[in-house]
Each structure stands twice: as structure tokens, then as C-alpha cells.
Amino acid sequence: MSDLEVSLSGKPKIALYWASSCGGCEIAVLGIHEKILDVANAFDIVLWPCVLDGKVADVEALKDGELLFTLFNGAIRNDENYEMAQLLRRKSQLLVAFGSCAHEGCIPGLANFSNRRQMFDWIYHNAPTTHNPDGVEPAAGGWEFPEGRVHIPAYWDTVKTLDQVVDVDYYLPGCPPEADRIWDALTAIMEGKLPPQGSVIGAHVTVCDECLRSKHEKKITKFYRPHQIIPEPDLCLLEQGILCAGIATRSGCGALCPQVNMPCRGCYGPNQGVVDQGARFLSGVASVIDSQDPEEIEAILDTIPDPAGTFYRFSLPHSLLHRVAWGAHPGESILSGNGQEA
Amino acid sequence: MSEKDNFEPVIVGFLCNWCSYRAADLAGTSRIKMPPNVRDIRVMCTGRLDPVFVLKALREGADGVLVMGCHPGQCHYVEGNYKTMRRMALLKRTLRQFGLEDERVRLEWASAAEGPKFAATVTQMTETIRELGPLNWKQLLGGNGHFRPVLEPELEEVAA
Ligand code: SF4
Ligand code: SF4
Ligand code: SF4
Ligand code: FES
């Protein structure tokens, strides 16, 4: 801890920030209930957009390293996310990737199955709920209006995780992280009992290890989506043909989803030592298919409607392939090119 | 000359120790001609082939991946190759969603006696990949693969 000793008078300063995020992670911090008062007692919160009225200028005015830590949630998908990641990295002694979006890319990261043009076409033109007769799209740059100057950040083709754009000290996985793990992390910082730098704060075992459902040899002849089957209450869901990511996912949540008949979706990211969560999930699922006949295997695989989206639901930007090929999914509008850099 | 004309495909081959690696040996000792584009890696059994090996090869610059093992029913570990058959089938479906052409990842069987089949597979796959052109996954990710956002040129101008 000694190297983290705060050389400031008064309470150490901290920040919480959201980049490309749903806001759930900011709210999840309140899941520690009244202990939030201990946090407020121990620290001076400079920025927490969802809850307090801090300003970016307050952070800019700080000395480098003046923040003891920042809990950073959300993925990086535009210039503003990127600039804030750099700013908060500079001002913080410890930068924590908080939640699946910052850690793995999460649901916003599924945008890496398309690109900016495809995203804009859907969001601003083609989605059934879109009403945009003038075809307006956000145009990056600085714009003058009677009310003042507006800066619209450039939107990227590829979603990145926090550690793909700045150095990260700790990871707190989950969508959102469980309150108990958040408290573990906060007490570790407050008591100076931090794990080695780069650690993921969660369990070392998989969700299966903590799951109470009974497990036997798995032999699958058909896969079901959760709404297509009423599962047996105490039997492993994967054994019943439901795609459960518990086999490839770090625990830390206490195997919450299988407890309520829902398969694990993989929100805690790959388990310890696994590079690519999707490949691990895929490999496990394929090996329990009960067939040795290529045609029959294909027929069974037909019952998995969206393999890539299922296996990489939370980890696409952090996966080995990171995004789809530039020319993928023809028919949808894609500019020619092969992924030029900015 | 276009990039395609100069293009020599890099194919990573994962061969099982007991059948296909020996088929490769036999092809060599029998002096069968074949292109030098496949970089062979020996695994004890194709069942040892974690799909992550395939992804890593593609990400790190391979234009294709060739997996070869014992014929079904002849795996020295009884069912390693059946597992591989299923994993590769699911991996191919997944890779299709990533925009990869099916031909870039191929699973074939060759016994220790099938040197000619090994050579023919290598020749054929090299030609197929040559036709498809380079994969360039690293370039897609932008240099070091991670740092720069991949932006459409059109957007870049507006932002400037
Ligand atoms: S990790 Fe989940 S809860 Fe947190 S910001 Fe992302 S989507 Fe929302
Ligand atoms: S696969 Fe899912 S249901 Fe089965 S033991 Fe693992 S976490 Fe539990
Ligand atoms: S069971 Fe899986 S999806 Fe559910 S909270 Fe835990 S890690 Fe996340
Ligand atoms: S030993 Fe050849 S495929 Fe298993």
C-alpha cells in the first residue's frame, strides 16, 4: 500500500465515470446500500455523472495522479469516450475497469458485428421505431448554435475496451458487477489490501463450479432457447440443451442466473487463464453434441440460431478477432475499403 | 501487378501425430511435389486442437488454417477426431458470421498411408486461398490490432 499513500490533506479524491454505458453500472454502486455513506466519508467524489453534479473541468483542474482511483464503466466507441479515458487515466493513481463494458466490451461491443455506417442506417433511418423524415445524422465536429457551441464526438467503427486504449490497473467484471464484489474492491482500496496489479476482482473458478444444479455426462441432440423449454429445476441447464455460458465464465456472481432457471450469459467474462471466452464456450458446447455423423451434427447445430452472438455476447471487442471483417454481411451498406486507420 | 498477383498464402496446418503428420512425412519422403505454403504444427490428436488455436492463427496473419487428423473411427484416442468434427463445424458457422469465407478453414482426414492425399489437399487449399486473396486480419484491426479506431474516411474529414 505504501506506494499508494495519499499525499494530500483531507480526504482522497475519487471519480466514477460512464463512457459508452447503459448507466446500470453507475447505479450498481448504490447496490452497496448504506455502505455508500462509508465511501462518502472516506473519499471526496469529484465526478459521478449519474449521481452528483461534478464537471469535467473539475477533473481537468486536478494535478496528475491526484485522484486516488477512478471506477470507469462503459466501452470506448467515440472520441469523447476516448478523451475521457485518457484524462481519467492521467489524473488517477488507480484506474479500475468497472463492469463488463469497460472490461470486455459487453452489449455495446456487439456493434463490432457491424460498422458505423450500418449502425447509423439502423438507428437513424431503418429501425421501425425511428421517425426521422429529414434523415438527420450526428455529424462529428464543432457546431455553433444561438445557444452556444456544441461538440459532437466522432463515432467509431469499432468498439474498444478500456484496456485497449489506456493502461488499466484492476478489473471488476459483471453486467453490472455484484454489490458484494464492488464492496470487496472498495474495502481492498480503503484498507490497502490490493491484489497484484492487473488482477480481475472476482472468483478464480467458473460459474459452473459455484452452480448448485446437478451435473452428469452431457449428451445433447437439440438446443433450446430459454423460451422454448421449461427446464427441470435442479438439473444442469446445458445438459438440458440450453446454451449456458457457465462453462466458460468466471464466477463472482455466485451463479445467479442458473438459480432462477436462466442460463448464464457470460457477463463476468472468461474464467481465469482463458484468452477467448467465445472460443471456450463454443468448444465446450460442440464437444457435448451427441453425434458422430456430419449431417446429423449440422442438423443439431441448426438449432443454434446465432452462434457468434451467443458465444461472444459480452466479449466481442476483447476477443481474438475483435470485430467482423470489413466486407462482412454484404447487402447492408458498407463503404468500400478494408478498415483504414484514422 | 495487384497485391493478389504477388500473394503467397500463409496456411497454418495442424496435423495429428498418428495419421496426418505421418502422411505429410510420407508425402515428403516420396518426393511428391506440393506448394510450400502450409506451415505444419504437430498436435498429438486433433482433439487437442482448441478452437482458439485457429482464431489465433487467423488473427496473427494466417490466410487459412488446415486441420488434418485420422479418419473417423481411427483416432488413436478413440474419439478425439469426432470432437474436432463437431468443434470445427460450429467454429465454421461462427467464423461465417465474422465474415470469413468457409474455404479459409478446412478439416480433412488422412491416414499415415495417404501421402498423396495430403499433398493433393495442400495443393488444392493453397490454390483456393490464393484465389481468395490475403486475409489481413491485423490490418483490419489497425496496425497493432487494438489502438486506433477504425474510421470511415468520410467521417474523418468531417471530424477534422
Ligand atoms: S456492464 Fe452492463 S450494467 Fe454496466 S454499463 Fe455495461 S451494459 Fe450497463
Ligand atoms: S452449465 Fe450452467 S447450469 Fe450447468 S452447471 Fe454450469 S452454470 Fe450450472
Ligand atoms: S450467471 Fe453468468 S450471466 Fe448471470 S450474473 Fe453470473 S456471470 Fe453474469
Ligand atoms: S490421433 Fe489422429 S485425430 Fe486423434
Side-chain angles (χ1 to χ4, degrees):
Chain A
M1 176 66 186
S2 55
D3 51 333
L4 286 178
E5 221 68 77
V6 201
S7 56
L8 303 162
S9 54
K11 293 193 277 185
K13 297 187 173 71
I14 65 166
L16 294 88
Y17 189 70
W18 52 11
S20 180
S21 133
C22 79
C25 275
E26 298 240 315
I27 301 300
V29 178
L30 298 174
I32 62 175
H33 299 302
E34 71 285 353
K35 293 183 195 137
I36 193 70
L37 299 175
D38 296 342
V39 177
N41 277 335
F43 305 111
D44 191 2
I45 304 171
V46 179
L47 186 72
W48 189 2
C50 186
V51 176
L52 301 173
D53 186 32
K55 298 283 185 246
V56 173
D58 302 338
V59 178
E60 282 166 345
L62 298 173
K63 290 198 288 282
D64 286 358
E66 196 172 337
L67 292 169
L68 176 58
F69 66 88
T70 292
L71 304 182
F72 192 106
N73 70 79
I76 310 298
R77 75 119 58 258
N78 66 31
D79 282 357
E80 186 199 33
N81 300 157
Y82 178 58
E83 283 155 19
M84 285 304 291
Q86 286 184 311
L87 175 68
L88 287 162
R89 168 69 281 181
R90 213 166 49 240
K91 302 296 178 186
S92 312
Q93 292 176 37
L94 296 176
L95 183 65
V96 182
F98 186 96
S100 174
C101 287
H103 175 217
E104 294 279 303
C106 194
I107 305 299
L110 289 172
N112 287 359
F113 280 120
S114 60
N115 58 34
R116 189 191 74 101
R117 185 70 261 151
Q118 290 166 331
M119 293 290 287
F120 276 19
D121 282 348
W122 180 252
I123 298 166
Y124 297 103
H125 307 288
N126 300 333
T129 49
T130 298
H131 178 72
N132 183 12
D134 298 335
V136 177
E137 286 184 4
W143 306 97
E144 297 295 345
F145 291 99
E147 295 81 5
R149 193 177 160 80
V150 170
H151 183 78
I152 298 180
Y155 186 100
W156 295 2
D157 277 311
T158 302
V159 177
K160 308 269 173 181
T161 64
L162 184 60
D163 71 356
Q164 286 167 352
V165 299
V166 293
D167 291 334
V168 165
D169 299 299
Y170 294 101
Y171 301 86
L172 200 54
C175 175
E178 276 309 303
D180 290 347
R181 297 291 85 70
I182 298 174
W183 185 242
D184 286 350
L186 290 172
T187 41
I189 294 173
M190 289 191 282
E191 292 170 6
K193 292 184 184 140
L194 283 162
Q197 212 171 23
S199 294
V200 179
I201 299 173
H204 290 274
V205 295
T206 62
V207 173
C208 288
D209 287 303
E210 291 192 346
C211 175
L212 299 175
R213 289 175 173 264
S214 68
K215 302 152 193 123
H216 315 86
E217 197 191 338
K218 297 171 179 45
K219 284 176 176 294
I220 311 297
T221 52
K222 177 174 171 24
F223 291 101
Y224 299 90
R225 301 173 76 186
H227 66 276
Q228 294 171 324
I229 185 175
I230 296 177
E232 297 291 328
D234 302 316
L235 184 63
C236 164
L237 295 168
L238 184 57
E239 229 166 291
Q240 302 182 59
I242 301 168
L243 288 165
C244 183
I247 52 173
T249 304
R250 177 190 296 273
S251 200
C253 65
L256 280 181
C257 299
Q259 278 180 36
V260 291
N261 280 349
M262 282 304 283
C264 170
R265 308 298 186 99
C267 82
Y268 261 69
N271 53 305
Q272 194 85 2
V274 170
V275 188
D276 189 291
Q277 185 183 22
R280 173 57 65 101
F281 189 8
L282 177 163
S283 177
V285 164
S287 49
V288 298
I289 290 172
D290 187 22
S291 173
Q292 300 187 335
D293 172 66
E295 272 178 33
E296 193 181 32
I297 292 170
E298 292 296 336
I300 296 172
L301 293 180
D302 281 341
T303 60
I304 304 178
D306 174 16
T310 305
F311 302 136
Y312 290 99
R313 185 181 272 122
F314 287 93
S315 64
L316 182 58
H318 225 234
S319 69
L320 281 169
L321 295 186
H322 190 131
R323 60 159 295 120
V324 291
W326 201 248
H329 314 305
E332 297 152 60
S333 71
I334 300 171
L335 292 187
S336 62
N338 55 359
Q340 297 90 337
E341 283 183 55
Chain B
M1 274 222 291
S2 78
E3 190 187 2
K4 235 175 178 171
D5 295 326
N6 295 317
F7 169 53
E8 276 305 327
V10 174
I11 300 169
V12 175
F14 292 101
L15 313 178
C16 96
N17 179 53
W18 301 103
C19 288
S20 301
Y21 196 79
R22 288 167 195 217
D25 252 355
L26 182 62
T29 49
S30 326
R31 298 178 182 276
I32 305 175
K33 269 204 167 164
M34 60 181 147
N37 301 61
V38 178
R39 277 65 160 168
D40 296 332
I41 295 175
R42 179 166 58 166
V43 289
M44 285 311 280
C45 171
T46 57
R48 174 62 183 91
L49 188 86
D50 190 320
V52 90
F53 299 174
V54 178
L55 298 178
K56 200 155 190 196
L58 296 171
R59 180 200 155 102
E60 297 299 325
D63 301 297
V65 173
L66 172 63
V67 179
M68 291 184 84
C70 312
H71 283 274
Q74 290 173 15
C75 168
H76 283 239
Y77 305 97
V78 188
E79 49 176 308
N81 56 1
Y82 286 118
K83 280 213 166 89
T84 301
M85 186 192 272
R86 303 192 286 256
R87 285 181 184 143
M88 294 294 281
L90 188 49
L91 180 63
K92 285 184 85 140
R93 283 172 182 245
T94 307
L95 289 176
R96 211 173 289 154
Q97 288 182 279
F98 277 90
L100 261 87
E101 301 89 346
D102 274 4
E103 297 84 355
R104 293 204 187 263
V105 176
R106 187 162 166 179
L107 174 63
E108 291 287 344
W109 316 119
S111 76
E114 290 179 311
K117 179 174 180 184
F118 177 83
T121 306
V122 165
T123 308
Q124 205 200 4
M125 181 154 180
T126 306
E127 284 325 301
T128 312
I129 302 288
R130 197 188 300 282
E131 278 303 301
L132 285 176
L135 182 63
N136 273 341
W137 205 269
K138 265 194 170 162
Q139 189 189 325
L140 168 82
L141 299 182
N144 67 11
H146 271 328
F147 191 64
R148 304 297 296 276
V150 183
L151 282 174
E152 288 172 16
E154 166 215 359
L155 181 62
E156 214 182 317
E157 284 158 27
V158 180

